[in-house]
Amino acid sequence: MATWKIATVQPDYHILVDRMFYSVPFQYIGSQVDVCRTNTLVEIFFKDSRIASHARLYGRKEQFSTNQEHMPEAHKMYISHTPESSREWAATIGESVGEVVTYFLNHMLEQQALHKILSLQKLGVNYPPFPFLPILKRCRIIIIYQGCRKYGQSVQDKPQ
C-alpha cells in the first residue's frame, strides 16, 4: 500500500522521509515535492512529473540514497576524489606535486589530506598552467628536511 507526503528539497538536494534522506535533481532545491512511499520504493514528484525514484531504505536512521546524476557538477568532483585519483593527478603535474600529495596522504587524516589536495587541484584549474611548481618544490624540500629531523636521520637535501 502506498502512502503520500509532502517534503521540501533541502539545500543539499535531499528530502527527508521517515528519517532517511533521498536525493532529487539539484534544480529543485527549495521546492515542495510529493513523495509516494511503498514497502520497496520511494518516488518523488514535482507538479505530477516523477523526478526521482529510490529503493526504500531501512535499518539505521539517517542513511542517504544519493544518485550522482542529481548532483551539481562541482559536487561530482568530490565523489571521484580518492587517494588514488589524487596520486594520478599529481603524477601528471610533476614530481614535486607528487611528493607533496604523498606527504599529505601519509601524514594526515584522509579527509584532511583530500581537502588540501583538492585545493591544489582548484589552483591548477584556476591558474593554468600550474604556476605553483617552484613553491611546491620548496615545500617538498622543507617536508623532507622536517621529516628527517623528526626521526634523527641525516639530511641530504637541506632547504636553502
Side-chain angles (χ1 to χ4, degrees):
M1 183 166 119
T3 59
W4 290 82
K5 74 173 274 183
I6 296 173
T8 300
V9 181
Q10 300 302 308
D12 67 353
Y13 50 86
H14 287 80
I15 59 168
L16 180 63
V17 177
D18 298 329
R19 296 190 62 194
M20 303 292 190
F21 296 94
Y22 300 91
S23 67
V24 301
F26 72 93
Q27 295 89 338
Y28 295 95
I29 290 173
S31 300
Q32 286 203 335
V33 294
D34 296 309
V35 182
C36 179
R37 301 169 285 184
T38 67
N39 288 336
T40 58
L41 194 63
V42 173
E43 294 181 293
I44 300 118
F45 296 85
F46 181 75
K47 295 185 179 177
D48 298 324
S49 293
R50 187 173 74 169
I51 59 172
S53 179
H54 296 269
R56 185 136 181 211
L57 298 172
Y58 288 98
R60 182 180 51 80
K61 299 297 180 198
E62 299 180 355
Q63 296 179 63
F64 282 80
S65 176
T66 305
N67 180 334
Q68 288 187 27
E69 295 301 314
H70 296 162
M71 297 177 160
E73 288 301 316
H75 290 200
K76 290 178 185 178
M77 184 187 324
Y78 287 99
I79 296 299
S80 61
H81 192 57
T82 65
E84 186 55 36
S85 68
S86 297
R87 286 184 186 95
E88 290 170 5
W89 166 79
T92 67
I93 303 297
E95 182 182 350
S96 299
V97 177
E99 289 180 7
V100 170
V101 164
T102 298
Y103 178 83
F104 288 162
L105 291 169
N106 291 341
H107 294 87
M108 297 177 179
L109 294 173
E110 186 175 292
Q111 289 293 80
Q112 291 173 329
L114 291 175
H115 181 75
K116 288 186 180 296
I117 294 164
L118 189 60
S119 295
L120 284 176
Q121 289 176 327
K122 286 179 182 176
L123 285 173
V125 168
N126 293 333
Y127 302 99
F130 205 81
F132 305 100
L133 284 177
I135 296 167
L136 288 177
K137 286 179 183 178
R138 180 100 173 123
C139 290
R140 184 197 93 221
I141 293 168
I142 292 169
I143 288 167
I144 292 168
Y145 180 71
Q146 289 176 341
C148 291
R149 284 189 47 208
K150 181 177 179 180
Y151 297 106
Q153 300 169 351
S154 65
V155 178
Q156 300 294 325
D157 194 9
K158 291 184 183 177
Q160 323 253 346

